[in-house]
Amino acid sequence: MRALPSVGGADEGGGTADPDPDPGPGTAAPAPAASLLEVFRRLDTGPRGLTEAQAEGRLVRFGENAIPDARDPSWPRLFARSVRDPFTAVLLCLGLVSAAVFAWGTASVILLLVVVSCVLRASGEHRAARSTAGLRRLVATTVTVQRRVYEDTAPVTREIPVEELVPGDVVRLGPGDLIPADVRLLRSTGLTVHQAALTGESAPVEKSAVEDPGDDGVFQDPRLCFQGGSVASGSATAVVTATGGDTRFAAAHRRTGKPPATTFERSVQGVSWILIRFALLTPPLVLMANAALRGRGLETLPFAVAVAVGLTPEMLPVLVTTCLARGATLLARTHGVIVRRLPALHDIGAMDVLCVDKTGTLTQDRPVVHRALDAEGRDDPEVLRWAVAAAWWSLQLADLPAPDALDEALLAAADEDALMSYDGVTARPFDPARRLATVVVRTPGRLGTHTQITKGAVEAVLQRCALSDDERSRLRDLADTHAADGLRVLAVATTALPAGARPQERGLTFRGLVTLRDALAPTAAEALAGLAARGVTVKVLTGDHPGTAVRACRDLGVPVAGVLTADRLDTLTDPELTELARRTTVFACCTPEHKTRITRALQAGGHTVGFLGDGVNDLPALRTADVGIAPRDAAGVSRESADLVLAEKDLTAIGHAVAAGRHAGGNIATYLRITLSSNLGNVIAMLSAGLLLPFLPMLPAQVLVQNLCFDAAQLAFAHDRPAPSALRRPSVLDPRALLRFIVGFGALNAVADLATFGVLAFALRGPGDDEALFHSGWFTENLLTQAVVMVLLSFGRGGRGGRGGRGGRQPGPVTWSAAGLAGVGLLLPAFPVGAGLGLSPLPGVYYGLLAAVLALYAVALTAARTRHERVSASAVAQP
C-alpha cells in the first residue's frame, strides 16, 4: 500500500517536503505552501471532484479512512492481549515455578486455567467488538461528498460513510460537522474550526482559502483543516489530501496511545492489584510457615502455588467483558441506545446526577396556550377567541408563508367555530419594531361596523389602550406576575371602526391576556419519576430565563431545590460552586463554559455525572462528564464524542440505560463479593489446616481442579437478574466497602471450613489414618460451601429463585450453576476421575455431619447478609 498524500506532510514547523518526480496521487506530500493548482495535480483531481470509478479504485488502493489502531482487533490479537492481563501473568509465573520444581500436574492444571480464561475472554471481546461495530454503523458519521458518475457529467452531491472517503474527494462542511480527513480549503464562508485535539487550543480557529497564508506552521495555515477537528461555525468546500493512517490525527493518536482509564476501570484495577499482591506473597509465606513449624521444604511449593492460584479470580476479565457486552447489545436491540464505549455502561449505572437542557429534553421546542384571562385576571374564553381571530387573519390576509410559534399555538388551541366566527377585512402582520399585529374583521350582526383586534407584547399593547396610569400599572404588574411564573404573555385589545376606515392603533379597549407555556415532552414526566426512583438527581442547565426552566420543572413534578443564574455563578469560587451545585436544581442563562464548570463542580462533590447534549456548544461538557450522552440527530462532533447515543432525545431511554448499567454493574460486584470472600476463606482455612496437619490438607492438583470448577460456575453471574432493590441505587464499585465485605464473609467461610476439619477428625477417627479420605471430604465441603455462598450471597433474583424473586419457583442461572457445582463435589470422589486426582468415596456418617455444618453455615450466612443489607441501606439513606 502506497503512502497517502498529505498537504500537511511537512514538519510542524512549516517546512516543505522534498519534491517527488512522480506527480501521481499517493506518492508525496504536497508542501504547505503549494498552490491550489499544484495540489490538484498531485492528487490527480479537480474542483468537480472524483468520478465514482476513481473513488472505488482509490478506496481499494489506499484502504478505508480509519485510524489503524481504531480498527477492531482480530481474535489472535485479543488472545495475545488476554495473556498480558495481570491475573494471567501471575498464573503463568506460578505455573513456571511449578514446572521448575517438576510439579507437572500443578503446572498442567494452571496452564489449562490460563488457556480457558484467555479463550473465553478473547471470544467474548471478539463477539462484543463485532456487536458494537454493527451498532456503530447505526450512528456512523457521514460526509457530504461531491462526485461524478462519468468524466463528462456534472458533479452530484451525496452523503457517504466517512470510511469511504479517499484522497482527491471534494467535500462540503457545515456547522457541527467533524473534519473527516485532512483537507485543503477551496472556498469558505465564516469558517471557524475547533482543533484542540491536535493543538490544545480551546478557542475556535479562523480558516479561509486565502492566497497568502503566512508562515506560522502547518496547524496555523488557514487553508488547512485536519481530521480530529470540528466546524464551530460557517461552511466550506474542501479537497481531501490525506486519509486513514496518514492524517495528522492518526500520527498524534499513535503518539498519545490509548485514552486514560475510566473510574470503573481504575476501581477494577485497584482491586486486581491488591489481589495480585496477596497471590504473590502467599507462596513464600506458606513455605516459611511450613519450614518453621513442620520442617517441610520445597515439597510444599506446589501446594503453596495452588493456594495462590485459588486466591486469584481468573474469570474477572471474562465476566466483566461478558456482562457489559450483553448489556450493551440488549440495550441497543430493545431500546435503541448504542453504547460506544463498554465501560460507560457501568458508569451510567453508577450515575447519580444527570445534567440536561430544558428545550428538546424536558419541553418541546414549541409553546402551547395555558390560560386566557380578562383584565381582572379571571378566566375568559372570549379573549382567546379574539387572539385566535387575529392570528388566523394575519396569516390569511398578509399572505405569510407560515404562522410564527405563538400564532401556531393560538391556532392549535382554537376550534373550527372560533376560526369561522369572523370575516377578515385587512391585516398588518407582526412587526418586530412595533411588537404588534393588527387585523380588522367584520363584526357579526352589525352591518357597517368593523372590529379591530390588536395583539402583541404587553407593554406595546398597553401603551395604545385608553387607560389611566394606575390601571396601566396594575395590568403591567399582572402580566409581570405571570411572566415571572415562567409563562409567555400576550395582550389583546380591540376597538370598533366604521366600515372602510383605516386601522388605528390608539385609544384601544384592553380585553385581556393570553398566557403560553412550553409544551412538555410527552414522556418527560414519567421518565423523570423513574430516574428519581432510581436515585438519579436531574439538574437543568439551560440558556433560557430561570422562570421558564422552573415552570417546566414544576409542570413535570420535579421539585426545584434552588436556582442559580450565570451572573451569580461567575462570582463563585470553585469550592463555593461545588457546595452550591449539590443543592441547586436549575442553572439558567448558561454558556458552554458554565455547563462545563458546573459538571466539574458536581464531580468534585463526589457525584458520578451524566450529561445529555446535542449541540456543538455542549461538546466541552459532554467530554467532561463521566458519561456523555447524545441523541442520534445531534451534531456530528457531539455524537462522536458521546459515550452513549440515543435513537431519540428521550429521557425514558436514559432510564433504560441506567437500569442496564446497574444490571451489569450489580452482577460484576456480586461476582467480586462472592468469589473473593469465598477464595479468601478457603485460603485461610487451607493455610491453617496445613500447619495443624502432618500432611497437606489437599493435593495441589485437587486445589486447582476445585478452582477450575468454581471458575466455570462463576460465569453464571453474567446472566443473573438483579433484584429490583439493586436497581434503585447507583451501582458503585467501592474498593474499601468491597474489602470490608471480603474480610467479613471470608472469615465466616474460613470458620465453616475449619468446622469441617473437626467433622473430618471425628468421622474418620483421626485424620492422619487416611489422607485420601481427608482430601475427599474437604474437596466436597469446599465445593458445597461455595455453592451455598453463590445462592445465599447472590444479590440478584437468579440466585434466589429466578424470575419469581425471593421464594419464586423458577430457578435462575446462578441456582442451576450452584447445583451443578454441588453435584460435582458430591459425585467426583466416587468416580474413576476422582481416583485419578487422589480422591476416594466418603463414609455415610460424614455426609450427615457435613449437612449439619452446612445448615449452621447457611443460618450464619443469612444472618450476616441481613445485617450487611441493613447497614448498607442505612448508609445509603444518610444525606
Side-chain angles (χ1 to χ4, degrees):
M1 183 179 293
R2 303 175 70 181
L4 294 176
S6 174
V7 170
D11 61 46
E12 295 184 14
T16 59
D18 293 332
D20 193 306
D22 180 5
T27 58
S35 68
L36 195 55
L37 183 59
E38 290 173 324
V39 172
F40 282 145
R41 285 176 177 172
R42 286 185 178 272
L43 295 172
D44 191 20
T45 188
R48 297 196 302 162
L50 301 174
T51 65
E52 295 291 350
Q54 288 174 325
E56 290 177 4
R58 295 189 186 192
L59 185 61
V60 172
R61 180 181 176 188
F62 299 131
E64 290 187 346
N65 177 33
I67 302 172
D69 293 342
R71 296 190 179 107
D72 294 328
S74 62
W75 193 93
R77 177 175 292 186
L78 290 172
F79 184 87
R81 185 187 299 172
S82 301
V83 174
R84 297 198 304 268
D85 180 79
F87 285 129
T88 305
V90 169
L91 288 178
L92 285 174
C93 291
L94 296 175
L96 291 175
V97 171
S98 300
V101 295
F102 305 106
W104 300 114
T106 303
S108 299
V109 177
I110 291 177
L111 179 62
L112 178 62
L113 282 172
V114 169
V115 172
V116 169
S117 176
C118 291
V119 167
L120 288 174
R121 183 178 182 185
S123 300
E125 290 187 351
H126 188 59
R127 285 194 302 271
R130 287 189 302 176
S131 176
T132 52
L135 298 176
R136 283 198 300 269
R137 284 193 289 270
L138 297 176
V139 291
T141 301
T142 59
V143 61
T144 304
V145 68
Q146 180 178 296
R147 286 181 180 172
R148 296 167 291 156
V149 179
Y150 303 108
E151 283 283 352
D152 55 351
T153 57
V156 177
T157 300
R158 66 186 181 92
E159 295 282 325
I160 65 169
V162 167
E163 291 79 9
E164 297 180 9
L165 207 61
V166 295
D169 266 325
V170 173
V171 297
R172 295 184 180 179
L173 304 172
D177 286 347
L178 293 171
I179 307 298
D182 289 356
V183 300
R184 165 72 178 263
L185 296 179
L186 304 182
R187 53 188 175 272
S188 64
T189 302
L191 183 67
T192 60
V193 173
H194 288 287
Q195 53 184 29
L198 291 162
T199 65
E201 299 169 280
S202 58
V205 179
E206 293 186 6
K207 297 286 184 176
S208 62
V210 297
E211 289 298 329
D212 185 14
D215 190 21
D216 295 327
V218 173
F219 292 120
Q220 282 67 44
D221 190 331
R223 303 171 302 175
L224 305 180
C225 299
F226 302 94
Q227 186 182 47
S230 61
V231 178
S233 63
S235 59
T237 301
V239 60
V240 175
T241 60
T243 58
D246 288 332
T247 62
R248 291 277 176 171
F249 184 74
H253 180 82
R254 286 191 292 269
R255 289 195 300 270
T256 57
K258 63 181 183 180
T262 65
T263 302
F264 169 67
E265 291 167 335
R266 289 194 298 270
S267 298
V268 171
Q269 289 170 5
V271 173
S272 300
W273 282 110
I274 291 174
L275 297 172
I276 287 171
R277 293 187 186 99
F278 274 119
L280 293 177
L281 286 174
T282 298
L285 289 176
V286 173
L287 288 175
M288 289 187 292
N290 276 274
L293 299 178
R294 288 292 180 179
R296 301 171 186 149
L298 287 177
E299 66 270 15
T300 61
L301 180 60
F303 174 73
V305 169
V307 171
V309 171
L311 187 62
T312 306
E314 304 88 356
M315 293 294 111
L316 177 60
V318 179
L319 189 123
V320 167
T321 302
T322 303
C323 283
L324 297 179
R326 287 187 73 251
T329 303
L330 185 63
L331 198 57
R333 187 169 62 245
T334 58
H335 301 295
V337 179
I338 297 165
V339 181
R340 304 186 70 251
R341 181 178 60 84
L342 276 184
L345 185 62
H346 175 274
D347 293 338
I348 198 170
M351 179 182 72
D352 60 341
V353 172
L354 175 64
C355 298
V356 301
D357 194 2
K358 176 184 70 67
T359 305
T361 305
L362 304 181
T363 64
Q364 303 178 56
D365 195 12
R366 63 181 181 86
V368 294
V369 172
H370 179 242
R371 294 175 66 188
L373 308 170
D374 63 14
E376 302 302 323
R378 297 185 296 264
D379 289 328
D380 187 352
E382 190 65 23
V383 175
L384 179 59
R385 293 173 67 89
W386 290 117
V388 168
W392 174 253
W393 289 111
S394 291
L395 180 66
Q396 301 300 317
L397 299 176
D399 197 23
L400 299 177
D404 64 19
L406 297 182
D407 281 353
E408 190 171 15
L410 292 171
L411 296 176
D415 54 30
E416 187 174 350
D417 292 339
L419 295 179
M420 304 308 296
S421 298
Y422 303 97
D423 187 12
V425 177
T426 186
R428 282 185 183 178
F430 181 82
D431 182 354
R434 295 164 47 247
R435 297 188 298 162
L436 295 172
T438 295
V439 301
V440 178
V441 298
R442 293 183 177 89
T443 306
R446 296 179 60 186
L447 295 176
T449 302
H450 294 170
T451 301
Q452 174 184 308
I453 309 170
T454 299
K455 70 172 178 63
V458 173
E459 189 62 33
V461 173
L462 290 177
Q463 287 177 357
R464 290 163 172 80
C465 291
L467 297 168
S468 65
D469 291 342
D470 290 344
E471 185 67 9
R472 186 176 287 111
S473 177
R474 185 186 67 80
L475 293 172
R476 189 183 294 116
D477 290 343
L478 178 64
D480 290 343
T481 300
H482 290 287
D485 200 26
L487 298 171
R488 302 184 193 185
V489 185
L490 291 176
V492 180
T494 64
T495 189
L497 293 176
R502 297 168 60 89
Q504 297 183 8
E505 294 176 343
R506 61 179 182 273
L508 306 179
T509 300
F510 183 80
R511 292 293 183 179
L513 304 173
V514 178
T515 60
L516 303 99
R517 59 173 175 80
D518 289 335
L520 302 178
T523 60
E526 178 185 356
L528 290 171
L531 288 171
R534 292 188 171 103
V536 178
T537 302
V538 173
K539 308 281 187 181
V540 180
L541 280 58
T542 179
D544 285 351
H545 187 275
T548 60
V550 171
R551 178 80 200 192
C553 290
R554 189 165 65 246
D555 290 344
L556 291 168
V558 177
V560 178
V563 180
L564 186 64
T565 55
D567 54 351
R568 169 79 172 106
L569 190 151
D570 290 334
T571 66
L572 299 174
T573 64
D574 288 344
E576 290 172 339
L577 179 59
T578 298
E579 175 59 27
L580 195 56
R582 181 179 60 84
R583 57 178 188 269
T584 300
T585 302
V586 174
F587 300 84
C589 307
C590 291
T591 64
E593 292 75 18
H594 290 137
K595 294 179 181 181
T596 304
R597 191 179 172 208
I598 293 165
T599 302
R600 289 200 181 104
L602 291 167
Q603 291 172 323
H607 297 286
T608 301
V609 182
F611 186 92
L612 173 62
D614 57 359
V616 178
N617 60 328
D618 293 323
L619 185 60
L622 278 170
R623 289 176 171 170
T624 302
D626 296 288
V627 186
I629 309 168
R632 187 187 296 182
D633 58 358
V637 64
S638 299
R639 187 174 63 242
E640 288 299 305
S641 298
D643 300 309
L644 273 71
V645 178
L646 312 179
E648 303 292 342
K649 194 173 183 180
D650 185 359
L651 291 176
T652 303
I654 298 180
H656 293 306
V658 169
R662 293 181 182 178
H663 187 153
N667 285 347
I668 293 170
T670 299
Y671 162 80
L672 286 171
R673 282 192 294 262
I674 293 175
T675 300
L676 298 180
S677 62
S678 182
N679 287 359
L680 180 63
N682 288 339
V683 167
I684 293 174
M686 287 271 188
L687 296 180
S688 301
L691 298 176
L692 296 174
L693 293 171
F695 55 84
L696 295 178
M698 286 180 68
L699 298 178
Q702 294 167 355
V703 176
L704 294 173
V705 168
Q706 168 191 281
N707 198 47
L708 181 61
C709 293
F710 194 32
D711 286 340
Q714 290 164 356
L715 292 178
F717 287 116
H719 304 272
D720 196 13
R721 293 172 57 86
S725 59
L727 303 180
R728 287 197 289 266
R729 57 181 181 269
S731 57
V732 180
L733 186 61
D734 183 356
R736 292 184 179 180
L738 180 62
L739 188 59
R740 289 194 298 269
F741 185 98
I742 292 169
V743 172
F745 283 87
L748 187 60
N749 185 275
V751 170
D753 287 345
L754 292 174
T756 305
F757 173 79
V759 168
L760 287 169
F762 177 80
L764 304 178
R765 292 182 176 81
D769 297 338
D770 195 337
E771 293 184 23
L773 284 177
F774 189 93
H775 294 160
S776 301
W778 212 340
F779 180 90
T780 298
E781 184 271 344
N782 277 335
L783 290 188
L784 289 177
T785 55
Q786 289 178 344
V788 170
V789 168
M790 285 181 63
V791 173
L792 293 183
L793 289 192
S794 174
F795 288 0
R797 292 182 294 183
R800 303 188 310 278
R803 297 177 184 271
R806 192 185 297 270
R809 295 182 177 180
Q810 297 182 6
V814 173
T815 303
W816 285 116
S817 183
L821 187 65
V824 171
L826 292 170
L827 298 177
L828 190 60
F831 279 79
V833 176
L837 293 173
L839 302 175
S840 61
L842 291 161
V845 65
Y846 170 73
Y847 291 107
L849 294 172
L850 179 60
V853 171
L854 291 177
L856 292 174
Y857 179 51
V859 171
L861 205 59
T862 302
R865 173 200 166 99
T866 302
R867 181 179 182 278
H868 173 79
E869 290 179 333
R870 186 168 57 250
V871 171
S872 299
S874 63
V876 171
Q878 290 179 355

